């Protein structure tokens, strides 16, 4: 159902890449391939997600996003907590199991794939 929904969206929008978490990716990759969807694996580890979070933060502070009255995204943003590693990289997490931050994580991944380089910040070390 997810792949079919993305394929329908592709009829209306020019989809360049669809970022997805590597965990449990076999089924979605097979179905996405049937629809010719441009899938890209995206690690949610802090070394890759950190630059995506930084891009999101810069765009948020620069008022480049309009969330409107979307209660699901607003809730995800309100319960997400920043986690920082010893090098200052940030990723989002949730304090409780029942908190849902998936919409925010998906948006961070989408912004990063759209305008950033999806490689580890440690690649040049």
């Amino acid at each position: 159902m997810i792949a079919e929904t993305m394929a329908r969206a592709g009829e209306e929008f020019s989809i360049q890449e669809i970022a997805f978490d590597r965990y449990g990716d076999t089924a979605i990759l097979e179905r996405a391939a049937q629809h010719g969807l441009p899938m890209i694996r995206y690690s949610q580890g802090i070394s890759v997600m950190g630059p995506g979070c930084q891009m999101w933060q810069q765009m948020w502070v620069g008022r480049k996003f309009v969330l409107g009255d979307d209660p699901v995204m607003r809730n995800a943003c309100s319960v997400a907590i920043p986690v920082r590693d010893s090098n200052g990289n940030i990723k989002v997490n949730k304090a409780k199991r029942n908190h849902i931050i998936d919409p925010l994580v998906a948006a961070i991944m989408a912004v990063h794939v759209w305008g950033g380089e999806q490689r580890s910040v440690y690649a040049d070390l």
Side-chain angles (χ1 to χ4, degrees):
M1 190 164 93
I2 294 169
E4 291 167 2
T5 301
M6 291 187 303
R8 281 195 305 274
E11 294 169 5
E12 185 176 347
F13 302 100
S14 175
I15 297 175
Q16 302 301 307
E17 291 179 318
I18 300 171
F20 67 97
D21 183 15
R22 297 190 276 199
Y23 180 75
D25 65 4
T26 305
I28 191 69
L29 278 179
E30 290 172 3
R31 289 184 179 93
Q34 293 171 354
H35 294 284
L37 295 167
M39 305 296 286
I40 180 172
R41 283 185 174 94
Y42 188 98
S43 171
Q44 291 187 11
I46 198 163
S47 67
V48 173
M49 193 109 188
C53 288
Q54 185 177 22
M55 286 183 70
W56 172 272
Q57 182 181 13
Q58 289 169 348
M59 294 181 86
W60 178 262
V61 171
R63 297 178 182 245
K64 302 292 183 190
F65 295 127
V66 177
L67 295 181
D69 292 328
D70 182 344
V72 176
M73 181 61 104
R74 287 194 171 279
N75 182 66
C77 291
S78 72
V79 298
I81 55 172
V83 176
R84 187 180 305 267
D85 71 6
S86 61
N87 294 315
N89 299 307
I90 298 172
K91 70 177 268 181
V92 293
N93 207 337
K94 53 189 177 181
K96 298 181 181 176
R97 271 185 87 115
N98 65 343
H99 286 172
I100 297 172
I101 63 170
D102 301 72
L104 176 59
V105 171
I108 289 168
M109 291 167 61
V111 165
H112 194 195
V113 169
W114 165 75
E117 196 172 324
Q118 301 85 47
R119 64 187 188 94
S120 170
V121 294
Y122 303 112
D124 295 331
L125 296 180

